Amino acid sequence: MKFIEFDSDKCDECFKCLRVCPTKAIAFVNNKRHIIDDLCIKCGLCLTHCEQKALSIHQDIQRVKNAILAGKKVIVSIAPSYAGLFEMKNPSQMATALRLIGFEYVEETARGAEIVSKRYEKIIESNKMKNIITSCCPSSNYYIENYFPKLIDYVIPVVSPMIAHGKYLKDRYGDDAYTVFIGPCVAKKAEAKEIDNAIDAVITFRELEIWFKEREIILKDLESSGFDAPVDKRSKAYPVGGSLWNKDMKTRVNSNYKYVHINGIEACKEFLKAIENGDIEGYCAEVNICLGSCLNGPEIPLTAPNIFKRISNLNNYVDEKNPENCLLTEVNNHILTDRIFTDKSINKIPVNEDHVASVLLDMGKYSQRDQINCGACGYSTCYDKAVAVTMGYSDMELCLDRLKHKVESLQNTIFDNSPNLICILDEELRIQDTNAAFNEIFNKEKTKLKEWPISTVINTEIFEEINTPLTAKISRKCYIESVNRTFYVNLIKIHDGVVFVGIFTDITDAENNREELMRVKERTIETCQEVINNQMRVAQEIASLLGETTAETKLGLNKLKEIVLSEGDY
């Protein structure tokens, strides 16, 4: 089951998640991205570094709410790191808040930590292991199982405090108890699914913070109330790291080991490599993948204070006087706290070096010098990137250096072969570069024009206009007398006036054709006007002639009429 998902619409392929991922468990292929679950150790670093919030974790919070609404016996086990992360006047206010949102019983996971600590002491005391690695941090367990399987025998075969407490709660309250863990860790979600009959649901501190906001619960304003089971100092101090190794551990339990606390993925990696290579021996190490241990998990509240304030808050809580009867005197033997870790490594298929070499060549990495190892793609080296391509985890095209050279090559092709005349000027209007078309018209002698003022080549005021503060672009038709040609000129100011680009489109032929067309039109108009004038003159002459003829006819008819009338009188 995948516990971290991508929202492709939000992801802008900045590869920050891949850069911080210690196991490169994120695939970017064919414009898609996904978590490679078999490689993922659930550390949550990708979540904390994604500015676009494109990554999300699997959530159980609705299941928990439904269990409460259904009237189930819902019991919470909250990680003691809450005391350093939430704003409260007293850590006991958290118990009040958890009851307000519906939990029937409220305990701290520190009870499970005490169970684990006692088991650890017995194993360390037996002195049977050359090196000892704790199993409290599920991310470190996944890291060892997947990437350092040879060290599995050094991992203490005991469940984490969360699992131990979950089993303890079900033993005390009954198998029908619905157990919920709350903490800052993403890996706990995966761990709870792996081990039966312990924890039924996991929600994070960030989810809890949202839940409190929905219910309008302000922790610092609540009354204090006690948890349903007290805890001791050592168990409360688990989140800060190193509390497993009390000062008397060496003398009271076993003096043959060097007790150390390792936190942060890089430190853990180096420590595990040292053991694997046989460089060190006789170490008993508490390992935590998160830098800052559980006080700096990926799902701490958004309102959490800075790391030093968190440590201070937790130390104040640890230093509080222990309640009476806080130590576990006995745990029923049937509560199984043993755990078996197994080899989960999947990188058993050897890398095909010929295939990798072919990919490197296709990426333009022809020699070691070409492998600049910029890390922009998310991988530390070009070789690692090529391996990821052969494994189907990355696209070859997703290489910034390759894309850069490809773009530059395309730009140069366009620049060199453009039919437009292009010149690039500096802030003082001195020529920095020109293309072949520009030189063909303005530099037939092929003189080296770099650093020449543009005015020595093109005598026009248009360049002075673009150099004014409020002008960013000029587009206009311009006749340049020195070459007897007409251009449509685009002058563009870029980089706040540090660079100017001039693009000249030669429209001389079009302009000449236009002038010839205008002359033809003018001659046609003149001819038409002459025809019209002639027609008008003829019409007038015809009209005049018709007018005279009509008058004469009229006179003749009138005379005829008079004759007819006069004959009638006789």
Side-chain angles (χ1 to χ4, degrees):
M1 178 178 180
K2 289 187 177 181
F3 292 89
I4 303 177
E5 294 287 352
F6 263 107
D7 184 336
S8 297
D9 293 333
K10 292 181 179 179
C11 176
D12 64 1
E13 292 188 344
C14 67
F15 305 119
K16 184 180 285 187
C17 59
L18 186 57
R19 280 195 292 276
V20 300
C21 178
T23 60
K24 305 305 176 191
I26 307 173
F28 287 86
V29 184
N30 299 327
N31 295 319
K32 297 179 181 178
R33 65 283 295 153
H34 68 272
I35 302 296
I36 309 165
D37 202 49
D38 289 336
L39 300 181
C40 179
I41 62 171
K42 287 81 178 174
C43 64
L45 280 173
C46 55
L47 286 168
T48 61
H49 285 79
C50 181
E51 298 291 340
Q52 287 71 37
K53 307 302 178 187
L55 290 156
S56 60
I57 57 173
H58 166 78
Q59 295 192 354
D60 290 335
I61 191 165
Q62 192 57 52
R63 291 176 53 225
V64 175
K65 291 179 179 179
N66 292 342
I68 292 172
L69 291 173
K72 292 184 178 181
K73 189 192 300 179
V74 185
I75 306 170
V76 66
S77 169
I78 186 167
S81 51
Y82 80 89
L85 298 169
F86 287 89
E87 185 181 0
M88 299 174 288
K89 294 177 182 176
N90 189 305
S92 297
Q93 290 173 310
M94 178 60 76
T96 304
L98 293 173
R99 290 191 178 95
L100 283 175
I101 60 176
F103 290 106
E104 185 172 352
Y105 298 99
V106 179
E107 293 194 13
E108 293 186 75
T109 318
R111 295 289 282 181
E114 184 59 25
I115 297 172
V116 169
S117 294
K118 290 182 179 295
R119 289 293 314 278
Y120 279 2
E121 287 183 2
K122 290 182 180 180
I123 292 171
I124 294 169
E125 188 177 15
S126 68
N127 200 37
K128 293 179 179 180
M129 302 166 73
K130 185 165 64 174
N131 291 289
I132 296 176
I133 302 171
T134 61
S135 56
C136 294
C137 173
S139 281
S140 70
N141 296 337
Y142 293 134
Y143 194 39
I144 293 170
E145 287 181 312
N146 286 7
Y147 299 95
F148 294 91
K150 294 179 181 178
L151 306 185
I152 287 175
D153 290 341
Y154 296 147
V155 180
I156 300 177
V158 175
V159 297
S160 70
M162 175 190 77
I163 298 299
H165 193 214
K167 289 178 175 292
Y168 183 54
L169 290 174
K170 285 185 179 289
D171 181 67
R172 285 170 54 208
Y173 294 103
D175 289 337
D176 62 334
Y178 190 88
T179 52
V180 179
F181 172 78
I182 304 178
C185 183
V186 175
K188 292 293 186 186
K189 290 177 178 283
E191 185 186 29
K193 294 290 183 183
E194 288 182 356
I195 301 175
D196 296 330
N197 198 35
I199 295 295
D200 296 306
V202 174
I203 63 177
T204 68
F205 282 149
R206 195 161 294 179
E207 293 171 281
L208 180 64
E209 182 181 42
I210 295 171
W211 195 353
F212 284 161
K213 190 173 182 179
E214 290 173 351
R215 293 290 300 272
E216 298 181 349
I217 292 174
I218 301 174
L219 281 170
K220 63 181 180 179
D221 293 342
L222 300 178
E223 295 292 331
S224 296
S225 64
F227 285 89
D228 289 307
V231 292
D232 71 329
K233 281 191 174 185
R234 177 168 68 167
S235 303
K236 290 192 294 185
Y238 254 57
V240 80
S243 64
L244 281 171
W245 316 141
N246 286 340
K247 292 181 180 179
D248 64 343
M249 194 74 170
K250 195 171 184 67
T251 56
R252 180 173 59 86
V253 180
N254 193 328
S255 61
N256 294 324
Y257 291 104
K258 304 177 184 69
Y259 298 92
V260 294
H261 170 227
I262 313 292
N263 74 109
I265 182 64
E266 291 302 322
C268 288
K269 182 193 297 184
E270 292 304 312
F271 177 76
L272 295 174
K273 281 182 179 179
I275 293 179
E276 187 176 57
N277 295 335
D279 298 331
I280 60 175
E281 188 177 311
Y283 276 81
C284 191
E286 178 188 349
V287 293
N288 294 95
I289 290 294
C290 292
L291 185 62
S293 297
C294 299
L295 283 176
N296 198 32
E299 281 288 298
I300 63 173
L302 290 173
T303 56
N306 69 57
I307 185 64
F308 297 102
K309 179 63 175 174
R310 297 173 214 165
I311 295 172
S312 176
N313 289 344
L314 186 66
N315 285 335
N316 290 338
Y317 177 50
V318 171
D319 290 340
E320 289 180 359
K321 184 179 179 181
N322 282 345
E324 295 181 4
N325 302 321
C326 65
L327 295 177
L328 290 170
T329 56
E330 184 178 354
V331 176
N332 291 337
N333 292 329
H334 69 273
I335 298 178
L336 300 177
T337 55
D338 292 336
R339 183 174 180 183
I340 298 173
F341 296 99
T342 59
D343 183 348
K344 295 180 180 178
S345 59
I346 65 168
N347 296 325
K348 295 178 180 178
I349 300 175
V351 174
N352 187 326
E353 295 295 345
D354 290 339
H355 193 183
V356 173
S358 177
V359 170
L360 286 170
L361 289 175
D362 289 340
M363 290 169 59
K365 312 299 180 183
Y366 302 107
S367 67
Q368 196 67 36
R369 183 178 179 182
D370 295 323
Q371 298 183 32
I372 62 174
N373 304 327
C374 66
C377 64
Y379 295 93
S380 300
T381 67
C382 297
Y383 176 84
D384 291 340
K385 163 73 174 182
V387 171
V389 172
T390 66
M391 301 292 286
Y393 299 151
S394 183
D395 280 339
M396 184 168 56
E397 295 296 326
L398 299 177
C399 168
L400 182 62
D401 185 55
R402 185 172 189 270
L403 290 172
K404 176 174 173 288
H405 283 91
K406 191 173 183 179
V407 170
E408 287 177 347
S409 176
L410 183 60
Q411 288 175 337
N412 290 336
T413 300
I414 294 171
F415 184 77
D416 291 338
N417 295 283
S418 173
N420 294 319
L421 288 64
I422 304 174
C423 63
I424 300 173
L425 315 175
D426 65 11
E427 57 189 340
E428 296 180 353
L429 300 179
R430 293 181 178 274
I431 297 172
Q432 299 303 305
D433 202 358
T434 57
N435 69 344
F438 185 95
N439 291 329
E440 185 65 28
I441 300 297
F442 292 109
N443 186 27
K444 291 183 179 295
E445 294 80 12
K446 301 296 185 292
T447 305
K448 185 179 180 180
L449 295 179
K450 188 173 174 62
E451 300 300 336
W452 281 33
I454 189 64
S455 59
T456 62
V457 179
I458 303 176
N459 186 18
T460 175
E461 296 178 354
I462 196 170
F463 290 102
E464 297 299 330
E465 294 179 37
I466 193 66
N467 206 18
T468 56
L470 298 179
T471 306
K473 179 181 178 182
I474 294 177
S475 299
R476 101 171 42 141
K477 185 170 65 175
C478 181
Y479 172 72
I480 299 178
E481 185 177 3
S482 62
V483 293
N484 190 28
R485 303 191 77 81
T486 303
F487 300 91
Y488 192 82
V489 183
N490 283 291
L491 291 183
I492 306 166
K493 181 190 298 182
I494 60 177
H495 299 313
D496 296 326
V498 176
V499 177
F500 297 89
V501 178
I503 303 173
F504 296 74
T505 303
D506 192 344
I507 59 172
T508 303
D509 292 341
E511 285 295 300
N512 290 340
N513 291 337
R514 182 181 176 186
E515 290 176 2
E516 181 62 27
L517 180 61
M518 289 299 296
R519 284 194 292 271
V520 171
K521 286 182 178 179
E522 288 173 359
R523 285 198 299 270
T524 302
I525 291 171
E526 290 173 0
T527 302
C528 288
Q529 189 62 50
E530 289 177 6
V531 171
I532 291 170
N533 292 339
N534 289 335
Q535 290 294 319
M536 289 298 295
R537 180 175 53 76
V538 171
Q540 289 172 355
E541 290 176 355
I542 293 172
S544 177
L545 181 60
L546 286 173
E548 292 175 0
T549 304
T550 302
E552 290 174 357
T553 302
K554 183 178 179 182
L555 289 172
L557 290 173
N558 284 334
K559 286 181 179 181
L560 179 61
K561 180 180 177 183
E562 289 175 0
I563 293 171
V564 172
L565 290 173
S566 65
E567 289 180 352
D569 291 340
Y570 286 121

